[in-house]
Short mmCIF file of all heavy atoms in Angstrom, two decimals:
data_model
loop_
_atom_site.label_atom_id
_atom_site.label_comp_id
_atom_site.label_asym_id
_atom_site.label_seq_id
_atom_site.Cartn_x
_atom_site.Cartn_y
_atom_site.Cartn_z
N MET A 1 0.85 -1.17 0.00
CA MET A 1 0.00 0.00 0.00
C MET A 1 0.89 1.23 0.00
O MET A 1 1.87 1.29 0.73
CB MET A 1 -0.92 -0.01 1.21
CG MET A 1 -1.96 1.04 1.12
SD MET A 1 -3.19 1.06 2.44
CE MET A 1 -3.82 -0.57 2.40
N VAL A 2 0.55 2.21 -0.82
CA VAL A 2 1.32 3.45 -0.93
C VAL A 2 0.37 4.64 -0.80
O VAL A 2 -0.85 4.50 -0.87
CB VAL A 2 2.07 3.54 -2.28
CG1 VAL A 2 3.13 2.46 -2.38
CG2 VAL A 2 1.12 3.46 -3.44
N ARG A 3 0.93 5.80 -0.63
CA ARG A 3 0.15 7.03 -0.56
C ARG A 3 0.10 7.63 -1.96
O ARG A 3 1.13 7.84 -2.60
CB ARG A 3 0.82 7.99 0.42
CG ARG A 3 -0.05 9.15 0.80
CD ARG A 3 -1.16 8.72 1.72
NE ARG A 3 -1.94 9.89 2.08
CZ ARG A 3 -3.21 9.86 2.40
NH1 ARG A 3 -3.85 8.73 2.44
NH2 ARG A 3 -3.85 10.95 2.70
N MET A 4 -1.11 7.88 -2.44
CA MET A 4 -1.32 8.40 -3.79
C MET A 4 -1.97 9.79 -3.72
O MET A 4 -2.62 10.12 -2.72
CB MET A 4 -2.23 7.47 -4.58
CG MET A 4 -1.72 6.04 -4.69
SD MET A 4 -0.23 5.90 -5.64
CE MET A 4 -0.86 6.21 -7.28
N ARG A 5 -1.82 10.56 -4.81
CA ARG A 5 -2.41 11.89 -4.86
C ARG A 5 -2.91 12.18 -6.27
O ARG A 5 -2.32 11.78 -7.25
CB ARG A 5 -1.35 12.94 -4.51
CG ARG A 5 -1.88 14.35 -4.50
CD ARG A 5 -0.84 15.28 -3.90
NE ARG A 5 -1.43 16.54 -3.52
CZ ARG A 5 -1.51 17.59 -4.32
NH1 ARG A 5 -1.03 17.53 -5.53
NH2 ARG A 5 -2.07 18.70 -3.89
N CYS A 6 -4.04 12.90 -6.35
CA CYS A 6 -4.56 13.39 -7.62
C CYS A 6 -4.46 14.91 -7.57
O CYS A 6 -5.17 15.56 -6.80
CB CYS A 6 -6.01 12.95 -7.81
SG CYS A 6 -6.74 13.56 -9.34
N THR A 7 -3.57 15.47 -8.37
CA THR A 7 -3.34 16.91 -8.37
C THR A 7 -4.56 17.70 -8.84
O THR A 7 -4.95 18.68 -8.19
CB THR A 7 -2.11 17.26 -9.21
OG1 THR A 7 -0.99 16.52 -8.69
CG2 THR A 7 -1.79 18.73 -9.15
N PRO A 8 -5.22 17.32 -9.95
CA PRO A 8 -6.39 18.11 -10.40
C PRO A 8 -7.52 18.15 -9.37
O PRO A 8 -8.18 19.18 -9.20
CB PRO A 8 -6.85 17.41 -11.67
CG PRO A 8 -5.65 16.66 -12.16
CD PRO A 8 -4.89 16.27 -10.93
N CYS A 9 -7.76 17.05 -8.67
CA CYS A 9 -8.84 17.00 -7.67
C CYS A 9 -8.38 17.44 -6.29
O CYS A 9 -9.21 17.66 -5.41
CB CYS A 9 -9.40 15.58 -7.58
SG CYS A 9 -10.19 15.02 -9.09
N ASP A 10 -7.06 17.55 -6.09
CA ASP A 10 -6.48 17.93 -4.80
C ASP A 10 -6.93 17.00 -3.68
O ASP A 10 -7.36 17.46 -2.62
CB ASP A 10 -6.79 19.38 -4.48
CG ASP A 10 -5.87 19.93 -3.40
OD1 ASP A 10 -4.74 19.43 -3.27
OD2 ASP A 10 -6.29 20.86 -2.67
N VAL A 11 -6.86 15.69 -3.94
CA VAL A 11 -7.19 14.68 -2.93
C VAL A 11 -6.04 13.67 -2.84
O VAL A 11 -5.23 13.56 -3.75
CB VAL A 11 -8.50 13.93 -3.24
CG1 VAL A 11 -9.69 14.88 -3.20
CG2 VAL A 11 -8.43 13.22 -4.57
N ALA A 12 -5.98 12.94 -1.75
CA ALA A 12 -4.97 11.91 -1.55
C ALA A 12 -5.64 10.68 -0.94
O ALA A 12 -6.70 10.78 -0.32
CB ALA A 12 -3.86 12.42 -0.64
N TRP A 13 -5.00 9.52 -1.12
CA TRP A 13 -5.53 8.28 -0.57
C TRP A 13 -4.40 7.28 -0.43
O TRP A 13 -3.32 7.45 -0.99
CB TRP A 13 -6.65 7.72 -1.45
CG TRP A 13 -6.19 7.26 -2.81
CD1 TRP A 13 -5.84 5.99 -3.17
CD2 TRP A 13 -6.03 8.06 -3.97
NE1 TRP A 13 -5.47 5.95 -4.49
CE2 TRP A 13 -5.56 7.21 -5.00
CE3 TRP A 13 -6.20 9.40 -4.26
CZ2 TRP A 13 -5.30 7.68 -6.28
CZ3 TRP A 13 -5.92 9.86 -5.53
CH2 TRP A 13 -5.49 9.01 -6.52
N SER A 14 -4.65 6.24 0.34
CA SER A 14 -3.72 5.12 0.47
C SER A 14 -4.30 3.95 -0.30
O SER A 14 -5.48 3.65 -0.18
CB SER A 14 -3.54 4.73 1.93
OG SER A 14 -2.94 5.78 2.64
N GLY A 15 -3.46 3.30 -1.10
CA GLY A 15 -3.94 2.17 -1.88
C GLY A 15 -2.82 1.54 -2.68
O GLY A 15 -1.64 1.84 -2.47
N ALA A 16 -3.19 0.70 -3.61
CA ALA A 16 -2.22 0.05 -4.47
C ALA A 16 -1.56 1.08 -5.37
O ALA A 16 -2.15 2.13 -5.67
CB ALA A 16 -2.90 -1.02 -5.32
N ALA A 17 -0.34 0.79 -5.83
CA ALA A 17 0.40 1.73 -6.67
C ALA A 17 -0.30 2.03 -7.98
O ALA A 17 -0.06 3.06 -8.60
CB ALA A 17 1.80 1.19 -6.92
N ASP A 18 -1.20 1.15 -8.41
CA ASP A 18 -1.92 1.37 -9.66
C ASP A 18 -3.37 1.82 -9.43
O ASP A 18 -4.19 1.79 -10.34
CB ASP A 18 -1.89 0.11 -10.53
CG ASP A 18 -2.56 -1.07 -9.86
OD1 ASP A 18 -2.88 -0.99 -8.65
OD2 ASP A 18 -2.77 -2.08 -10.54
N SER A 19 -3.69 2.28 -8.22
CA SER A 19 -5.07 2.69 -7.92
C SER A 19 -5.37 4.05 -8.57
O SER A 19 -4.48 4.84 -8.85
CB SER A 19 -5.31 2.75 -6.42
OG SER A 19 -4.46 3.68 -5.80
N SER A 20 -6.65 4.29 -8.79
CA SER A 20 -7.07 5.53 -9.43
C SER A 20 -7.76 6.44 -8.42
O SER A 20 -8.18 6.02 -7.35
CB SER A 20 -8.01 5.23 -10.60
OG SER A 20 -9.13 4.52 -10.15
N CYS A 21 -7.89 7.69 -8.80
CA CYS A 21 -8.52 8.71 -7.95
C CYS A 21 -9.96 8.32 -7.64
O CYS A 21 -10.71 7.93 -8.52
CB CYS A 21 -8.47 10.06 -8.66
SG CYS A 21 -9.33 11.39 -7.79
N TRP A 22 -10.35 8.48 -6.39
CA TRP A 22 -11.71 8.13 -5.99
C TRP A 22 -12.71 9.22 -6.38
O TRP A 22 -13.91 9.01 -6.30
CB TRP A 22 -11.77 7.83 -4.49
CG TRP A 22 -11.19 8.89 -3.61
CD1 TRP A 22 -9.88 9.02 -3.21
CD2 TRP A 22 -11.88 9.98 -3.01
NE1 TRP A 22 -9.72 10.11 -2.41
CE2 TRP A 22 -10.94 10.73 -2.26
CE3 TRP A 22 -13.19 10.41 -3.03
CZ2 TRP A 22 -11.29 11.86 -1.54
CZ3 TRP A 22 -13.53 11.54 -2.30
CH2 TRP A 22 -12.58 12.25 -1.57
N VAL A 23 -12.23 10.37 -6.87
CA VAL A 23 -13.12 11.45 -7.29
C VAL A 23 -13.34 11.40 -8.81
O VAL A 23 -14.47 11.35 -9.28
CB VAL A 23 -12.56 12.83 -6.87
CG1 VAL A 23 -13.44 13.96 -7.41
CG2 VAL A 23 -12.43 12.92 -5.36
N CYS A 24 -12.23 11.38 -9.59
CA CYS A 24 -12.36 11.46 -11.04
C CYS A 24 -11.98 10.17 -11.76
O CYS A 24 -12.09 10.10 -12.98
CB CYS A 24 -11.50 12.61 -11.58
SG CYS A 24 -9.72 12.32 -11.44
N ASP A 25 -11.50 9.17 -11.05
CA ASP A 25 -11.12 7.86 -11.59
C ASP A 25 -9.91 7.90 -12.52
O ASP A 25 -9.66 6.96 -13.26
CB ASP A 25 -12.31 7.20 -12.29
CG ASP A 25 -12.17 5.68 -12.31
OD1 ASP A 25 -11.62 5.13 -11.35
OD2 ASP A 25 -12.61 5.08 -13.30
N GLU A 26 -9.15 8.99 -12.50
CA GLU A 26 -7.90 9.08 -13.26
C GLU A 26 -6.77 8.47 -12.45
O GLU A 26 -6.86 8.36 -11.23
CB GLU A 26 -7.58 10.55 -13.59
CG GLU A 26 -8.56 11.19 -14.56
CD GLU A 26 -8.51 10.55 -15.94
OE1 GLU A 26 -7.40 10.26 -16.44
OE2 GLU A 26 -9.59 10.32 -16.52
N PRO A 27 -5.66 8.08 -13.10
CA PRO A 27 -4.53 7.52 -12.37
C PRO A 27 -3.95 8.53 -11.38
O PRO A 27 -3.89 9.73 -11.67
CB PRO A 27 -3.50 7.20 -13.45
CG PRO A 27 -4.24 7.21 -14.73
CD PRO A 27 -5.43 8.10 -14.55
N GLY A 28 -3.54 8.05 -10.24
CA GLY A 28 -2.94 8.92 -9.23
C GLY A 28 -1.43 8.97 -9.37
O GLY A 28 -0.83 8.20 -10.11
N THR A 29 -0.82 9.89 -8.65
CA THR A 29 0.63 10.04 -8.60
C THR A 29 1.09 9.62 -7.22
O THR A 29 0.52 10.07 -6.22
CB THR A 29 1.04 11.51 -8.84
OG1 THR A 29 0.49 11.93 -10.08
CG2 THR A 29 2.53 11.67 -8.86
N GLY A 30 2.11 8.79 -7.17
CA GLY A 30 2.62 8.35 -5.87
C GLY A 30 3.35 9.45 -5.14
O GLY A 30 4.10 10.21 -5.74
N LEU A 31 3.10 9.55 -3.84
CA LEU A 31 3.85 10.48 -3.01
C LEU A 31 5.05 9.73 -2.46
O LEU A 31 4.92 8.60 -1.99
CB LEU A 31 2.99 10.97 -1.83
CG LEU A 31 1.80 11.84 -2.20
CD1 LEU A 31 1.00 12.17 -0.94
CD2 LEU A 31 2.27 13.12 -2.84
N ARG A 32 6.21 10.33 -2.55
CA ARG A 32 7.41 9.69 -2.03
C ARG A 32 7.48 9.93 -0.53
O ARG A 32 7.59 11.06 -0.06
CB ARG A 32 8.65 10.25 -2.71
CG ARG A 32 8.70 9.88 -4.18
CD ARG A 32 9.93 10.40 -4.81
NE ARG A 32 9.87 11.87 -4.80
CZ ARG A 32 10.87 12.66 -5.07
NH1 ARG A 32 12.03 12.16 -5.38
NH2 ARG A 32 10.73 13.96 -5.03
N THR A 33 7.44 8.85 0.23
CA THR A 33 7.50 8.91 1.68
C THR A 33 8.69 8.09 2.15
O THR A 33 8.83 6.94 1.78
CB THR A 33 6.21 8.35 2.31
OG1 THR A 33 5.10 9.04 1.76
CG2 THR A 33 6.22 8.50 3.80
N LEU A 34 9.53 8.68 2.96
CA LEU A 34 10.68 8.00 3.49
C LEU A 34 10.44 7.74 4.97
O LEU A 34 10.13 8.66 5.73
CB LEU A 34 11.94 8.86 3.32
CG LEU A 34 13.21 8.34 3.97
CD1 LEU A 34 13.63 7.02 3.29
CD2 LEU A 34 14.32 9.36 3.85
N VAL A 35 10.55 6.50 5.38
CA VAL A 35 10.37 6.13 6.77
C VAL A 35 11.68 5.55 7.27
O VAL A 35 12.21 4.60 6.69
CB VAL A 35 9.24 5.10 6.95
CG1 VAL A 35 9.11 4.70 8.41
CG2 VAL A 35 7.94 5.65 6.43
N ARG A 36 12.22 6.13 8.33
CA ARG A 36 13.44 5.62 8.93
C ARG A 36 13.12 5.12 10.33
O ARG A 36 12.39 5.77 11.08
CB ARG A 36 14.50 6.72 9.06
CG ARG A 36 15.00 7.22 7.75
CD ARG A 36 16.11 8.21 7.97
NE ARG A 36 15.63 9.29 8.83
CZ ARG A 36 16.42 10.15 9.45
NH1 ARG A 36 17.71 10.07 9.33
NH2 ARG A 36 15.92 11.11 10.20
N PHE A 37 13.67 3.97 10.70
CA PHE A 37 13.47 3.44 12.04
C PHE A 37 14.80 2.94 12.56
O PHE A 37 15.46 2.15 11.90
CB PHE A 37 12.45 2.30 12.04
CG PHE A 37 12.24 1.72 13.41
CD1 PHE A 37 11.54 2.43 14.36
CD2 PHE A 37 12.75 0.48 13.73
CE1 PHE A 37 11.34 1.91 15.62
CE2 PHE A 37 12.57 -0.04 14.99
CZ PHE A 37 11.86 0.66 15.94
N ARG A 38 15.18 3.45 13.69
CA ARG A 38 16.41 2.99 14.36
C ARG A 38 16.00 2.23 15.61
O ARG A 38 15.13 2.69 16.35
CB ARG A 38 17.29 4.17 14.72
CG ARG A 38 17.77 4.94 13.51
CD ARG A 38 18.69 6.07 13.95
NE ARG A 38 18.76 7.03 12.87
CZ ARG A 38 18.42 8.30 12.99
NH1 ARG A 38 17.99 8.79 14.12
NH2 ARG A 38 18.51 9.11 11.95
N GLU A 39 16.63 1.12 15.83
CA GLU A 39 16.32 0.29 16.99
C GLU A 39 16.47 1.12 18.26
O GLU A 39 17.40 1.91 18.42
CB GLU A 39 17.25 -0.91 17.03
CG GLU A 39 16.80 -1.97 18.00
CD GLU A 39 17.62 -3.24 17.89
OE1 GLU A 39 18.07 -3.54 16.77
OE2 GLU A 39 17.82 -3.87 18.91
N ASN A 40 15.54 0.95 19.19
CA ASN A 40 15.53 1.63 20.49
C ASN A 40 15.30 3.14 20.37
O ASN A 40 15.66 3.89 21.26
CB ASN A 40 16.81 1.36 21.29
CG ASN A 40 16.98 -0.10 21.59
OD1 ASN A 40 16.01 -0.82 21.82
ND2 ASN A 40 18.22 -0.57 21.59
N GLU A 41 14.78 3.60 19.26
CA GLU A 41 14.45 5.01 19.09
C GLU A 41 13.01 5.15 18.61
O GLU A 41 12.39 4.19 18.20
CB GLU A 41 15.39 5.67 18.08
CG GLU A 41 16.82 5.80 18.57
CD GLU A 41 17.67 6.61 17.60
OE1 GLU A 41 17.10 7.28 16.72
OE2 GLU A 41 18.89 6.56 17.74
N HIS A 42 12.51 6.35 18.63
CA HIS A 42 11.17 6.61 18.13
C HIS A 42 11.17 6.59 16.61
O HIS A 42 12.21 6.65 15.97
CB HIS A 42 10.63 7.95 18.66
CG HIS A 42 11.41 9.13 18.18
ND1 HIS A 42 12.62 9.50 18.73
CD2 HIS A 42 11.15 10.01 17.19
CE1 HIS A 42 13.07 10.56 18.10
NE2 HIS A 42 12.20 10.90 17.16
N LEU A 43 10.00 6.55 16.02
CA LEU A 43 9.85 6.51 14.57
C LEU A 43 9.93 7.92 14.00
O LEU A 43 9.21 8.82 14.42
CB LEU A 43 8.50 5.88 14.22
CG LEU A 43 8.18 5.67 12.76
CD1 LEU A 43 9.16 4.65 12.16
CD2 LEU A 43 6.77 5.17 12.58
N ASP A 44 10.86 8.14 13.03
CA ASP A 44 11.00 9.44 12.35
C ASP A 44 10.34 9.34 10.99
O ASP A 44 10.63 8.43 10.22
CB ASP A 44 12.47 9.79 12.15
CG ASP A 44 13.18 10.15 13.43
OD1 ASP A 44 12.53 10.72 14.31
OD2 ASP A 44 14.39 9.86 13.54
N LEU A 45 9.50 10.29 10.66
CA LEU A 45 8.87 10.34 9.35
C LEU A 45 9.37 11.58 8.62
O LEU A 45 9.34 12.68 9.17
CB LEU A 45 7.34 10.40 9.46
CG LEU A 45 6.68 9.20 10.10
CD1 LEU A 45 5.17 9.44 10.18
CD2 LEU A 45 6.96 7.94 9.30
N GLU A 46 9.83 11.40 7.40
CA GLU A 46 10.23 12.52 6.55
C GLU A 46 9.39 12.44 5.30
O GLU A 46 9.46 11.47 4.56
CB GLU A 46 11.71 12.44 6.21
CG GLU A 46 12.61 12.61 7.40
CD GLU A 46 14.08 12.57 7.01
OE1 GLU A 46 14.36 12.68 5.80
OE2 GLU A 46 14.90 12.43 7.91
N LEU A 47 8.57 13.44 5.05
CA LEU A 47 7.69 13.44 3.90
C LEU A 47 8.24 14.38 2.84
O LEU A 47 8.68 15.48 3.14
CB LEU A 47 6.29 13.88 4.32
CG LEU A 47 5.66 13.04 5.42
CD1 LEU A 47 4.28 13.61 5.77
CD2 LEU A 47 5.53 11.60 4.99
N ASP A 48 8.21 13.93 1.61
CA ASP A 48 8.70 14.72 0.48
C ASP A 48 7.56 14.84 -0.52
O ASP A 48 7.17 13.87 -1.14
CB ASP A 48 9.90 14.02 -0.16
CG ASP A 48 10.46 14.77 -1.34
OD1 ASP A 48 10.15 15.97 -1.47
OD2 ASP A 48 11.18 14.15 -2.13
N PHE A 49 6.99 16.03 -0.65
CA PHE A 49 5.87 16.26 -1.54
C PHE A 49 6.35 16.97 -2.80
O PHE A 49 7.09 17.94 -2.72
CB PHE A 49 4.78 17.10 -0.88
CG PHE A 49 4.17 16.44 0.31
CD1 PHE A 49 4.60 16.74 1.60
CD2 PHE A 49 3.19 15.48 0.15
CE1 PHE A 49 4.04 16.13 2.69
CE2 PHE A 49 2.62 14.87 1.24
CZ PHE A 49 3.05 15.18 2.51
N ASP A 50 5.93 16.50 -3.94
CA ASP A 50 6.24 17.15 -5.22
C ASP A 50 5.05 18.03 -5.61
O ASP A 50 3.98 17.52 -5.90
CB ASP A 50 6.49 16.13 -6.32
CG ASP A 50 7.76 15.33 -6.06
OD1 ASP A 50 8.69 15.89 -5.47
OD2 ASP A 50 7.80 14.16 -6.44
N TYR A 51 5.24 19.33 -5.59
CA TYR A 51 4.16 20.24 -5.97
C TYR A 51 4.52 20.93 -7.24
O TYR A 51 5.59 21.20 -7.55
CB TYR A 51 3.90 21.28 -4.89
CG TYR A 51 3.28 20.69 -3.66
CD1 TYR A 51 4.01 20.44 -2.53
CD2 TYR A 51 1.94 20.35 -3.67
CE1 TYR A 51 3.45 19.91 -1.40
CE2 TYR A 51 1.35 19.81 -2.55
CZ TYR A 51 2.10 19.60 -1.41
OH TYR A 51 1.53 19.07 -0.31
#
């Protein structure tokens, strides 16, 4: 499961990499999300959005 976005509709969703927009049914664009986890530490999330 990945995070997807539809720029024309300005909506986002989580789903399969080939899922389509739930508003207009067009293909979505994947959002690049980097998750780092170090043992014995808290979870760090770094989000990179392409606008």
Side-chain angles (χ1 to χ4, degrees):
M1 190 176 305
V2 295
R3 193 73 179 152
M4 303 294 289
R5 182 170 197 269
C6 178
T7 304
C9 296
D10 198 27
V11 296
W13 66 95
S14 296
D18 61 349
S19 61
S20 59
C21 175
W22 52 273
V23 176
C24 69
D25 205 34
E26 293 295 318
T29 304
L31 293 176
R32 293 182 294 168
T33 305
L34 174 65
V35 178
R36 294 185 304 164
F37 179 73
R38 297 182 199 121
E39 193 172 328
N40 298 325
E41 291 187 15
H42 64 281
L43 184 64
D44 289 327
L45 297 178
E46 294 182 14
L47 303 178
D48 180 18
F49 297 98
D50 293 328
Y51 290 102

